[in-house]
Amino acid sequence: MKSAAYEEFALAPGLIQLNHASYGLTSRQVMIEAERIRGHIESDPTRHLGTELTERLTAQTTLTATTFGIDPDRTTLCTNATSGAAAIIESLPLAGDDTVVVLDTEYSSIQRAWELACAKTGARLIIISVSLPFHGPQQLLDELEARVPDSVTYLQMSLISSSAAIRLPVADISQWVRRRGGQLILDAAHGPGHIPMAPTEWGVTAMFGTLHKWLPTLRPVGFLWLAPELTAQVRPAEVSLTWDSPDLIERFSWPGTFDPVPRLCLDTAIAQWNRWRGGDQFSYCEKVADNASDAITGLGARPTATTEYLPPRMRSFILDGVTVAEVKAALHPADVRTWVGPGPAGECLLRISTHIYNDQHDIETLTTRIQEVLAR
């Protein structure tokens, strides 16, 4: 019997959703509010998609930034992490004698965006391997020292790597980048609603991410945070009517005709998220994730990082001796949803993420299926 928390979402009966980190999940409460907002907009779109929209988006941006401890004057909403990354990569100056460093644990589309930018300008691109399991900053710093001979223009890394689910040591890497004269660009897709963010304290120059992964809001909705020297420089990748606006929020408020409802639902999603947090429901999620780690490593799987670099509600494991296809074939018929895919070196990774609708039974079902695969 599923808990009451399960009923707050529209998940199919019996489905075991341990892949929250891929797409998030909209709550029923937010879906109801979204339909109300959508009806309001359709009652008079000329008015509600005009100046009034920018005012409402400003309020939502301020609430979001304040909730997660970042400066509202340096923050704007955008379509998703991809659009935020594109705005940064397209806007930052890059020349033929520049060097861009990207960790190989970065999301594939972000890696590809930097590849295209460097190919266009002739800049040098260096991909740095992050060894799995990850044991701490020193192994990564040693690799950087060995592979990057001189100055750095930009380094791209994640707050929490997507596939490998490593909570990376941002401050340590940022210090290294600054010593090399460069700037750090942070992918914080798995930050808001999951772990604290402190880009100024870490020495980050620009940060982008999503809000629909760990908040129960509609998808897609993302955010962009910029250091003061970049707030006037970074522009949306698409040239729209507000592209020239001196105001950061207005500049990103109209990417052509679009659906603003996901952004306008953020206040409802944040209120619900605050209720869950106040009720210690996230603490329970973390215990479920810890139990999953114990159970899956007990089968012989290897965690991708030592304990201090594990995110609270995301865990990834290296499954030796099996293929991605074999693991997917075992999980899908049992209605168990996780992320399974290749790691940076081609190893088979299994990533789980827990949310308030998960319980110990979910972990037991997952563990049984993984045990069957590993025993073949």
Side-chain angles (χ1 to χ4, degrees), residues 104-169:
D104 70 351
T105 48
E106 290 306 285
Y107 199 67
S108 58
S109 66
I110 305 302
Q111 286 193 41
R112 184 62 178 143
W114 281 111
E115 287 174 0
L116 293 172
C118 289
K120 187 186 300 184
T121 61
R124 177 173 55 173
L125 176 66
I126 300 176
I127 305 295
I128 297 295
S129 297
V130 179
S131 298
L132 301 180
F134 184 79
H135 295 290
Q138 195 56 53
Q139 68 182 87
L140 185 49
L141 291 169
D142 289 345
E143 183 72 8
L144 287 166
E145 286 292 333
R147 293 284 316 285
V148 185
D150 43 34
S151 64
V152 170
T153 311
Y154 307 112
L155 185 144
Q156 172 73 61
M157 69 177 295
S158 290
L159 177 56
I160 297 174
S161 66
S162 179
S163 303
I166 304 168
R167 186 171 179 172
L168 290 162

Short mmCIF file of all heavy atoms in Angstrom, two decimals, residues 104-169:
data_model
loop_
_atom_site.label_atom_id
_atom_site.label_comp_id
_atom_site.label_asym_id
_atom_site.label_seq_id
_atom_site.Cartn_x
_atom_site.Cartn_y
_atom_site.Cartn_z
N ASP A 104 34.47 15.28 -18.13
CA ASP A 104 33.76 14.28 -18.94
C ASP A 104 32.50 13.75 -18.28
O ASP A 104 31.77 12.96 -18.88
CB ASP A 104 34.69 13.13 -19.34
CG ASP A 104 35.09 12.22 -18.18
OD1 ASP A 104 34.79 12.56 -17.01
OD2 ASP A 104 35.71 11.17 -18.44
N THR A 105 32.24 14.18 -17.05
CA THR A 105 30.98 13.82 -16.39
C THR A 105 29.87 14.82 -16.71
O THR A 105 28.75 14.68 -16.20
CB THR A 105 31.17 13.77 -14.86
OG1 THR A 105 31.87 14.95 -14.44
CG2 THR A 105 31.97 12.55 -14.44
N GLU A 106 30.16 15.81 -17.55
CA GLU A 106 29.14 16.80 -17.90
C GLU A 106 28.07 16.18 -18.80
O GLU A 106 28.31 15.22 -19.53
CB GLU A 106 29.77 18.00 -18.60
CG GLU A 106 30.62 18.86 -17.70
CD GLU A 106 29.85 19.32 -16.47
OE1 GLU A 106 29.01 20.22 -16.59
OE2 GLU A 106 30.09 18.74 -15.39
N TYR A 107 26.89 16.78 -18.74
CA TYR A 107 25.78 16.35 -19.58
C TYR A 107 26.21 16.43 -21.05
O TYR A 107 26.87 17.39 -21.46
CB TYR A 107 24.57 17.24 -19.31
CG TYR A 107 23.25 16.67 -19.75
CD1 TYR A 107 22.71 15.55 -19.11
CD2 TYR A 107 22.53 17.25 -20.78
CE1 TYR A 107 21.49 15.03 -19.50
CE2 TYR A 107 21.31 16.74 -21.18
CZ TYR A 107 20.79 15.63 -20.54
OH TYR A 107 19.59 15.11 -20.93
N SER A 108 25.84 15.45 -21.84
CA SER A 108 26.37 15.33 -23.20
C SER A 108 26.07 16.55 -24.07
O SER A 108 26.92 16.97 -24.88
CB SER A 108 25.84 14.06 -23.87
OG SER A 108 24.43 14.05 -23.90
N SER A 109 24.88 17.14 -23.93
CA SER A 109 24.55 18.30 -24.76
C SER A 109 25.39 19.52 -24.39
O SER A 109 25.70 20.36 -25.25
CB SER A 109 23.06 18.63 -24.65
OG SER A 109 22.73 19.05 -23.34
N ILE A 110 25.77 19.62 -23.12
CA ILE A 110 26.63 20.74 -22.70
C ILE A 110 28.03 20.56 -23.28
O ILE A 110 28.65 21.51 -23.77
CB ILE A 110 26.67 20.84 -21.16
CG1 ILE A 110 25.25 20.96 -20.58
CG2 ILE A 110 27.53 22.02 -20.73
CD1 ILE A 110 24.46 22.13 -21.09
N GLN A 111 28.53 19.33 -23.22
CA GLN A 111 29.82 19.05 -23.85
C GLN A 111 29.77 19.41 -25.33
O GLN A 111 30.70 20.04 -25.87
CB GLN A 111 30.18 17.58 -23.71
CG GLN A 111 30.64 17.15 -22.33
CD GLN A 111 31.27 15.77 -22.35
OE1 GLN A 111 32.02 15.44 -23.25
NE2 GLN A 111 30.96 14.95 -21.35
N ARG A 112 28.71 19.01 -25.99
CA ARG A 112 28.59 19.26 -27.43
C ARG A 112 28.52 20.75 -27.74
O ARG A 112 29.11 21.23 -28.73
CB ARG A 112 27.34 18.56 -27.97
CG ARG A 112 27.17 18.68 -29.48
CD ARG A 112 28.30 18.04 -30.22
NE ARG A 112 28.11 18.11 -31.67
CZ ARG A 112 29.09 18.30 -32.53
NH1 ARG A 112 30.33 18.44 -32.11
NH2 ARG A 112 28.84 18.35 -33.83
N ALA A 113 27.84 21.52 -26.90
CA ALA A 113 27.75 22.96 -27.12
C ALA A 113 29.12 23.61 -27.05
O ALA A 113 29.45 24.50 -27.87
CB ALA A 113 26.82 23.59 -26.08
N TRP A 114 29.94 23.19 -26.09
CA TRP A 114 31.30 23.74 -26.00
C TRP A 114 32.15 23.28 -27.18
O TRP A 114 33.00 24.04 -27.69
CB TRP A 114 31.94 23.35 -24.68
CG TRP A 114 31.50 24.20 -23.52
CD1 TRP A 114 30.73 23.81 -22.47
CD2 TRP A 114 31.81 25.58 -23.30
NE1 TRP A 114 30.53 24.87 -21.60
CE2 TRP A 114 31.17 25.96 -22.09
CE3 TRP A 114 32.54 26.53 -24.02
CZ2 TRP A 114 31.28 27.25 -21.58
CZ3 TRP A 114 32.63 27.83 -23.50
CH2 TRP A 114 32.01 28.17 -22.30
N GLU A 115 31.96 22.05 -27.65
CA GLU A 115 32.69 21.57 -28.82
C GLU A 115 32.40 22.46 -30.03
O GLU A 115 33.32 22.85 -30.77
CB GLU A 115 32.29 20.13 -29.14
CG GLU A 115 32.83 19.09 -28.18
CD GLU A 115 32.27 17.70 -28.46
OE1 GLU A 115 31.47 17.57 -29.41
OE2 GLU A 115 32.62 16.77 -27.73
N LEU A 116 31.14 22.78 -30.24
CA LEU A 116 30.75 23.61 -31.38
C LEU A 116 31.30 25.02 -31.25
O LEU A 116 31.78 25.61 -32.23
CB LEU A 116 29.23 23.63 -31.51
CG LEU A 116 28.57 22.31 -31.90
CD1 LEU A 116 27.06 22.42 -31.80
CD2 LEU A 116 29.00 21.87 -33.30
N ALA A 117 31.24 25.58 -30.03
CA ALA A 117 31.76 26.94 -29.81
C ALA A 117 33.25 27.00 -30.07
O ALA A 117 33.76 27.96 -30.68
CB ALA A 117 31.44 27.39 -28.39
N CYS A 118 33.99 25.99 -29.60
CA CYS A 118 35.43 25.98 -29.81
C CYS A 118 35.78 25.74 -31.28
O CYS A 118 36.73 26.33 -31.81
CB CYS A 118 36.08 24.91 -28.93
SG CYS A 118 36.06 25.32 -27.16
N ALA A 119 35.03 24.88 -31.95
CA ALA A 119 35.27 24.64 -33.37
C ALA A 119 35.05 25.90 -34.19
O ALA A 119 35.76 26.17 -35.16
CB ALA A 119 34.37 23.52 -33.86
N LYS A 120 34.07 26.69 -33.79
CA LYS A 120 33.74 27.91 -34.52
C LYS A 120 34.83 28.97 -34.39
O LYS A 120 35.12 29.71 -35.33
CB LYS A 120 32.41 28.47 -34.00
CG LYS A 120 31.86 29.65 -34.78
CD LYS A 120 30.63 30.22 -34.11
CE LYS A 120 29.51 29.19 -33.99
NZ LYS A 120 28.27 29.77 -33.41
N THR A 121 35.46 29.05 -33.24
CA THR A 121 36.45 30.11 -32.96
C THR A 121 37.89 29.63 -33.05
O THR A 121 38.80 30.46 -33.06
CB THR A 121 36.22 30.68 -31.56
OG1 THR A 121 36.39 29.63 -30.58
CG2 THR A 121 34.82 31.26 -31.43
N GLY A 122 38.09 28.31 -33.06
CA GLY A 122 39.45 27.79 -33.05
C GLY A 122 40.03 27.66 -31.66
O GLY A 122 41.23 27.35 -31.50
N ALA A 123 39.21 27.87 -30.63
CA ALA A 123 39.70 27.73 -29.25
C ALA A 123 40.01 26.27 -28.95
O ALA A 123 39.45 25.36 -29.55
CB ALA A 123 38.65 28.27 -28.28
N ARG A 124 40.92 26.06 -28.00
CA ARG A 124 41.31 24.71 -27.61
C ARG A 124 40.32 24.18 -26.57
O ARG A 124 39.96 24.86 -25.62
CB ARG A 124 42.72 24.73 -27.02
CG ARG A 124 43.19 23.37 -26.52
CD ARG A 124 44.64 23.39 -26.09
NE ARG A 124 44.91 24.41 -25.10
CZ ARG A 124 46.08 24.55 -24.46
NH1 ARG A 124 47.07 23.73 -24.75
NH2 ARG A 124 46.25 25.51 -23.58
N LEU A 125 39.87 22.94 -26.76
CA LEU A 125 38.97 22.29 -25.82
C LEU A 125 39.69 21.09 -25.21
O LEU A 125 40.20 20.23 -25.93
CB LEU A 125 37.70 21.82 -26.53
CG LEU A 125 36.69 21.03 -25.68
CD1 LEU A 125 36.10 21.92 -24.59
CD2 LEU A 125 35.59 20.44 -26.55
N ILE A 126 39.70 21.03 -23.88
CA ILE A 126 40.33 19.92 -23.17
C ILE A 126 39.26 19.22 -22.33
O ILE A 126 38.62 19.85 -21.49
CB ILE A 126 41.48 20.40 -22.27
CG1 ILE A 126 42.57 21.09 -23.11
CG2 ILE A 126 42.08 19.23 -21.50
CD1 ILE A 126 43.70 21.68 -22.29
N ILE A 127 39.05 17.94 -22.59
CA ILE A 127 38.10 17.14 -21.81
C ILE A 127 38.88 16.42 -20.72
O ILE A 127 39.83 15.69 -21.00
CB ILE A 127 37.37 16.12 -22.69
CG1 ILE A 127 36.69 16.81 -23.88
CG2 ILE A 127 36.35 15.34 -21.85
CD1 ILE A 127 35.57 17.76 -23.50
N ILE A 128 38.48 16.62 -19.48
CA ILE A 128 39.16 16.06 -18.33
C ILE A 128 38.37 14.87 -17.79
O ILE A 128 37.18 14.98 -17.50
CB ILE A 128 39.36 17.10 -17.22
CG1 ILE A 128 40.25 18.24 -17.71
CG2 ILE A 128 39.92 16.48 -15.96
CD1 ILE A 128 41.67 17.83 -18.03
N SER A 129 39.04 13.74 -17.65
CA SER A 129 38.39 12.54 -17.11
C SER A 129 38.23 12.64 -15.60
O SER A 129 39.15 13.07 -14.90
CB SER A 129 39.22 11.29 -17.44
OG SER A 129 39.29 11.10 -18.83
N VAL A 130 37.05 12.27 -15.13
CA VAL A 130 36.79 12.17 -13.69
C VAL A 130 36.75 10.68 -13.37
O VAL A 130 35.85 9.96 -13.79
CB VAL A 130 35.46 12.84 -13.31
CG1 VAL A 130 35.19 12.70 -11.82
CG2 VAL A 130 35.48 14.32 -13.72
N SER A 131 37.75 10.20 -12.64
CA SER A 131 37.85 8.78 -12.34
C SER A 131 36.72 8.34 -11.41
O SER A 131 36.39 9.04 -10.46
CB SER A 131 39.20 8.46 -11.69
OG SER A 131 40.26 8.79 -12.57
N LEU A 132 36.15 7.18 -11.75
CA LEU A 132 35.12 6.58 -10.91
C LEU A 132 35.66 5.30 -10.28
O LEU A 132 36.32 4.52 -10.95
CB LEU A 132 33.87 6.25 -11.74
CG LEU A 132 33.19 7.42 -12.46
CD1 LEU A 132 31.97 6.91 -13.23
CD2 LEU A 132 32.80 8.52 -11.50
N PRO A 133 35.40 5.09 -9.00
CA PRO A 133 34.69 5.96 -8.05
C PRO A 133 35.49 7.24 -7.72
O PRO A 133 36.72 7.22 -7.74
CB PRO A 133 34.54 5.08 -6.80
CG PRO A 133 34.82 3.68 -7.24
CD PRO A 133 35.77 3.80 -8.39
N PHE A 134 34.75 8.29 -7.41
CA PHE A 134 35.35 9.58 -7.08
C PHE A 134 35.67 9.64 -5.59
O PHE A 134 34.81 9.41 -4.76
CB PHE A 134 34.38 10.71 -7.44
CG PHE A 134 34.93 12.09 -7.23
CD1 PHE A 134 35.80 12.64 -8.15
CD2 PHE A 134 34.58 12.83 -6.11
CE1 PHE A 134 36.32 13.92 -7.97
CE2 PHE A 134 35.09 14.10 -5.92
CZ PHE A 134 35.96 14.65 -6.84
N HIS A 135 36.94 9.94 -5.27
CA HIS A 135 37.39 9.92 -3.88
C HIS A 135 37.66 11.30 -3.30
O HIS A 135 37.98 11.41 -2.12
CB HIS A 135 38.65 9.06 -3.74
CG HIS A 135 38.43 7.62 -4.06
ND1 HIS A 135 37.70 6.79 -3.24
CD2 HIS A 135 38.82 6.87 -5.13
CE1 HIS A 135 37.66 5.57 -3.78
NE2 HIS A 135 38.33 5.60 -4.93
N GLY A 136 37.57 12.35 -4.11
CA GLY A 136 37.83 13.68 -3.57
C GLY A 136 38.50 14.59 -4.57
O GLY A 136 38.87 14.17 -5.68
N PRO A 137 38.68 15.85 -4.22
CA PRO A 137 39.19 16.84 -5.17
C PRO A 137 40.61 16.60 -5.64
O PRO A 137 40.97 16.98 -6.75
CB PRO A 137 39.07 18.16 -4.40
CG PRO A 137 39.04 17.78 -2.97
CD PRO A 137 38.36 16.45 -2.91
N GLN A 138 41.43 15.95 -4.82
CA GLN A 138 42.84 15.86 -5.19
C GLN A 138 43.05 15.07 -6.47
O GLN A 138 43.87 15.45 -7.32
CB GLN A 138 43.65 15.22 -4.05
CG GLN A 138 45.16 15.42 -4.21
CD GLN A 138 45.54 16.89 -4.33
OE1 GLN A 138 45.17 17.72 -3.51
NE2 GLN A 138 46.27 17.23 -5.40
N GLN A 139 42.30 13.99 -6.65
CA GLN A 139 42.47 13.21 -7.87
C GLN A 139 42.10 14.02 -9.10
O GLN A 139 42.73 13.90 -10.17
CB GLN A 139 41.64 11.92 -7.82
CG GLN A 139 40.13 12.14 -7.86
CD GLN A 139 39.32 10.85 -7.75
OE1 GLN A 139 39.03 10.40 -6.65
NE2 GLN A 139 38.97 10.25 -8.87
N LEU A 140 41.08 14.90 -8.97
CA LEU A 140 40.67 15.74 -10.09
C LEU A 140 41.66 16.88 -10.30
O LEU A 140 42.02 17.21 -11.44
CB LEU A 140 39.26 16.28 -9.82
CG LEU A 140 38.60 17.10 -10.93
CD1 LEU A 140 38.68 16.40 -12.28
CD2 LEU A 140 37.15 17.38 -10.56
N LEU A 141 42.14 17.46 -9.23
CA LEU A 141 43.14 18.53 -9.35
C LEU A 141 44.43 18.01 -9.98
O LEU A 141 45.06 18.71 -10.79
CB LEU A 141 43.42 19.14 -7.97
CG LEU A 141 42.27 19.94 -7.36
CD1 LEU A 141 42.56 20.27 -5.91
CD2 LEU A 141 42.01 21.22 -8.15
N ASP A 142 44.83 16.80 -9.62
CA ASP A 142 46.03 16.21 -10.22
C ASP A 142 45.84 16.02 -11.72
O ASP A 142 46.77 16.26 -12.51
CB ASP A 142 46.34 14.86 -9.56
CG ASP A 142 46.85 15.00 -8.13
OD1 ASP A 142 47.23 16.12 -7.74
OD2 ASP A 142 46.83 13.99 -7.41
N GLU A 143 44.66 15.58 -12.12
CA GLU A 143 44.37 15.39 -13.54
C GLU A 143 44.39 16.72 -14.28
O GLU A 143 44.90 16.83 -15.41
CB GLU A 143 43.02 14.71 -13.71
CG GLU A 143 42.62 14.39 -15.13
CD GLU A 143 43.42 13.26 -15.76
OE1 GLU A 143 44.20 12.60 -15.04
OE2 GLU A 143 43.28 13.05 -16.98
N LEU A 144 43.83 17.76 -13.66
CA LEU A 144 43.85 19.09 -14.26
C LEU A 144 45.29 19.59 -14.44
O LEU A 144 45.65 20.13 -15.49
CB LEU A 144 43.05 20.07 -13.41
CG LEU A 144 41.52 19.92 -13.46
CD1 LEU A 144 40.87 20.69 -12.33
CD2 LEU A 144 40.97 20.40 -14.81
N GLU A 145 46.08 19.42 -13.41
CA GLU A 145 47.48 19.87 -13.49
C GLU A 145 48.23 19.13 -14.59
O GLU A 145 49.05 19.71 -15.30
CB GLU A 145 48.17 19.65 -12.14
CG GLU A 145 47.77 20.64 -11.06
CD GLU A 145 48.27 22.05 -11.35
OE1 GLU A 145 49.29 22.20 -12.05
OE2 GLU A 145 47.63 23.02 -10.90
N ALA A 146 47.95 17.85 -14.74
CA ALA A 146 48.67 17.04 -15.72
C ALA A 146 48.23 17.34 -17.15
O ALA A 146 49.03 17.29 -18.09
CB ALA A 146 48.47 15.56 -15.41
N ARG A 147 46.95 17.68 -17.34
CA ARG A 147 46.39 17.81 -18.69
C ARG A 147 46.32 19.23 -19.20
O ARG A 147 46.24 19.45 -20.42
CB ARG A 147 44.97 17.21 -18.71
CG ARG A 147 44.89 15.71 -18.51
CD ARG A 147 45.31 14.95 -19.75
NE ARG A 147 44.74 15.53 -20.97
CZ ARG A 147 43.46 15.38 -21.33
NH1 ARG A 147 42.63 14.64 -20.58
NH2 ARG A 147 43.01 15.92 -22.45
N VAL A 148 46.32 20.21 -18.31
CA VAL A 148 46.17 21.61 -18.73
C VAL A 148 47.48 22.34 -18.48
O VAL A 148 47.81 22.67 -17.34
CB VAL A 148 45.01 22.29 -17.97
CG1 VAL A 148 44.79 23.69 -18.51
CG2 VAL A 148 43.73 21.46 -18.09
N PRO A 149 48.25 22.61 -19.52
CA PRO A 149 49.61 23.13 -19.32
C PRO A 149 49.71 24.61 -18.97
O PRO A 149 50.70 25.03 -18.38
CB PRO A 149 50.28 22.84 -20.66
CG PRO A 149 49.16 22.86 -21.65
CD PRO A 149 47.96 22.32 -20.92
N ASP A 150 48.71 25.40 -19.36
CA ASP A 150 48.86 26.84 -19.16
C ASP A 150 47.54 27.46 -18.71
O ASP A 150 46.76 26.82 -18.01
CB ASP A 150 49.40 27.51 -20.43
CG ASP A 150 48.72 26.97 -21.69
OD1 ASP A 150 47.53 26.65 -21.63
OD2 ASP A 150 49.40 26.88 -22.73
N SER A 151 47.25 28.67 -19.14
CA SER A 151 46.08 29.40 -18.65
C SER A 151 44.78 28.77 -19.15
O SER A 151 44.75 28.05 -20.15
CB SER A 151 46.15 30.86 -19.10
OG SER A 151 46.09 30.95 -20.51
N VAL A 152 43.70 29.08 -18.42
CA VAL A 152 42.36 28.58 -18.74
C VAL A 152 41.44 29.78 -18.92
O VAL A 152 41.54 30.77 -18.18
CB VAL A 152 41.84 27.67 -17.61
CG1 VAL A 152 40.37 27.34 -17.81
CG2 VAL A 152 42.67 26.41 -17.51
N THR A 153 40.56 29.69 -19.91
CA THR A 153 39.57 30.76 -20.10
C THR A 153 38.29 30.43 -19.36
O THR A 153 37.78 31.24 -18.57
CB THR A 153 39.28 30.95 -21.60
OG1 THR A 153 40.51 31.05 -22.32
CG2 THR A 153 38.46 32.23 -21.82
N TYR A 154 37.75 29.23 -19.59
CA TYR A 154 36.53 28.79 -18.91
C TYR A 154 36.68 27.32 -18.52
O TYR A 154 37.28 26.53 -19.26
CB TYR A 154 35.29 28.94 -19.81
CG TYR A 154 35.11 30.30 -20.41
CD1 TYR A 154 35.26 30.52 -21.77
CD2 TYR A 154 34.81 31.40 -19.60
CE1 TYR A 154 35.10 31.77 -22.33
CE2 TYR A 154 34.65 32.67 -20.14
CZ TYR A 154 34.81 32.85 -21.51
OH TYR A 154 34.67 34.09 -22.04
N LEU A 155 36.10 26.97 -17.38
CA LEU A 155 35.97 25.57 -17.00
C LEU A 155 34.50 25.29 -16.74
O LEU A 155 33.85 26.02 -15.99
CB LEU A 155 36.80 25.22 -15.77
CG LEU A 155 36.80 23.73 -15.39
CD1 LEU A 155 38.16 23.30 -14.85
CD2 LEU A 155 35.72 23.38 -14.36
N GLN A 156 33.99 24.25 -17.36
CA GLN A 156 32.58 23.84 -17.23
C GLN A 156 32.50 22.61 -16.34
O GLN A 156 33.13 21.59 -16.61
CB GLN A 156 32.00 23.53 -18.60
CG GLN A 156 30.62 22.91 -18.59
CD GLN A 156 29.55 23.90 -18.22
OE1 GLN A 156 29.36 24.89 -18.91
NE2 GLN A 156 28.82 23.63 -17.14
N MET A 157 31.70 22.70 -15.26
CA MET A 157 31.49 21.55 -14.38
C MET A 157 30.09 21.60 -13.80
O MET A 157 29.37 22.59 -13.96
CB MET A 157 32.53 21.55 -13.25
CG MET A 157 32.34 22.67 -12.23
SD MET A 157 33.53 22.56 -10.86
CE MET A 157 33.04 21.01 -10.09
N SER A 158 29.70 20.51 -13.14
CA SER A 158 28.38 20.42 -12.53
C SER A 158 28.47 20.49 -11.02
O SER A 158 29.46 20.05 -10.43
CB SER A 158 27.69 19.11 -12.93
OG SER A 158 27.33 19.11 -14.28
N LEU A 159 27.41 21.01 -10.42
CA LEU A 159 27.27 20.95 -8.96
C LEU A 159 27.07 19.49 -8.55
O LEU A 159 27.71 19.00 -7.62
CB LEU A 159 26.07 21.80 -8.54
CG LEU A 159 25.70 21.83 -7.07
CD1 LEU A 159 26.87 22.27 -6.20
CD2 LEU A 159 24.49 22.75 -6.85
N ILE A 160 26.17 18.80 -9.23
CA ILE A 160 25.99 17.35 -9.10
C ILE A 160 26.01 16.80 -10.52
O ILE A 160 25.20 17.18 -11.36
CB ILE A 160 24.65 16.99 -8.42
CG1 ILE A 160 24.62 17.52 -6.99
CG2 ILE A 160 24.44 15.47 -8.42
CD1 ILE A 160 23.28 17.31 -6.30
N SER A 161 26.95 15.91 -10.79
CA SER A 161 27.03 15.35 -12.14
C SER A 161 25.78 14.50 -12.40
O SER A 161 25.27 13.84 -11.50
CB SER A 161 28.30 14.53 -12.31
OG SER A 161 28.27 13.38 -11.48
N SER A 162 25.32 14.52 -13.64
CA SER A 162 24.05 13.91 -13.95
C SER A 162 24.08 12.38 -13.87
O SER A 162 23.45 11.78 -13.00
CB SER A 162 23.59 14.34 -15.34
OG SER A 162 22.36 13.76 -15.69
N SER A 163 24.81 11.73 -14.74
CA SER A 163 24.79 10.26 -14.80
C SER A 163 25.47 9.62 -13.60
O SER A 163 24.96 8.67 -13.02
CB SER A 163 25.47 9.79 -16.09
OG SER A 163 24.84 10.34 -17.22
N ALA A 164 26.64 10.15 -13.23
CA ALA A 164 27.42 9.55 -12.14
C ALA A 164 26.96 10.00 -10.76
O ALA A 164 27.37 9.41 -9.75
CB ALA A 164 28.90 9.85 -12.32
N ALA A 165 26.11 11.02 -10.69
CA ALA A 165 25.54 11.49 -9.41
C ALA A 165 26.62 11.75 -8.36
O ALA A 165 26.56 11.24 -7.25
CB ALA A 165 24.51 10.49 -8.89
N ILE A 166 27.59 12.59 -8.73
CA ILE A 166 28.65 12.97 -7.79
C ILE A 166 28.42 14.41 -7.38
O ILE A 166 28.24 15.30 -8.23
CB ILE A 166 30.04 12.85 -8.44
CG1 ILE A 166 30.28 11.44 -8.99
CG2 ILE A 166 31.13 13.23 -7.44
CD1 ILE A 166 31.50 11.35 -9.88
N ARG A 167 28.47 14.66 -6.09
CA ARG A 167 28.42 16.04 -5.58
C ARG A 167 29.84 16.57 -5.63
O ARG A 167 30.65 16.35 -4.73
CB ARG A 167 27.85 16.05 -4.16
CG ARG A 167 27.63 17.44 -3.60
CD ARG A 167 26.88 17.37 -2.29
NE ARG A 167 26.67 18.69 -1.71
CZ ARG A 167 25.91 18.93 -0.64
NH1 ARG A 167 25.31 17.92 -0.03
NH2 ARG A 167 25.74 20.15 -0.19
N LEU A 168 30.14 17.28 -6.69
CA LEU A 168 31.51 17.67 -6.98
C LEU A 168 31.99 18.82 -6.09
O LEU A 168 31.18 19.67 -5.68
CB LEU A 168 31.64 18.04 -8.45
CG LEU A 168 31.53 16.85 -9.41
CD1 LEU A 168 31.22 17.31 -10.83
CD2 LEU A 168 32.80 16.02 -9.40
N PRO A 169 33.28 18.89 -5.81
CA PRO A 169 33.85 19.93 -4.93
C PRO A 169 34.04 21.24 -5.69
O PRO A 169 35.15 21.57 -6.13
CB PRO A 169 35.18 19.32 -4.48
CG PRO A 169 35.58 18.44 -5.63
CD PRO A 169 34.30 17.89 -6.20
#
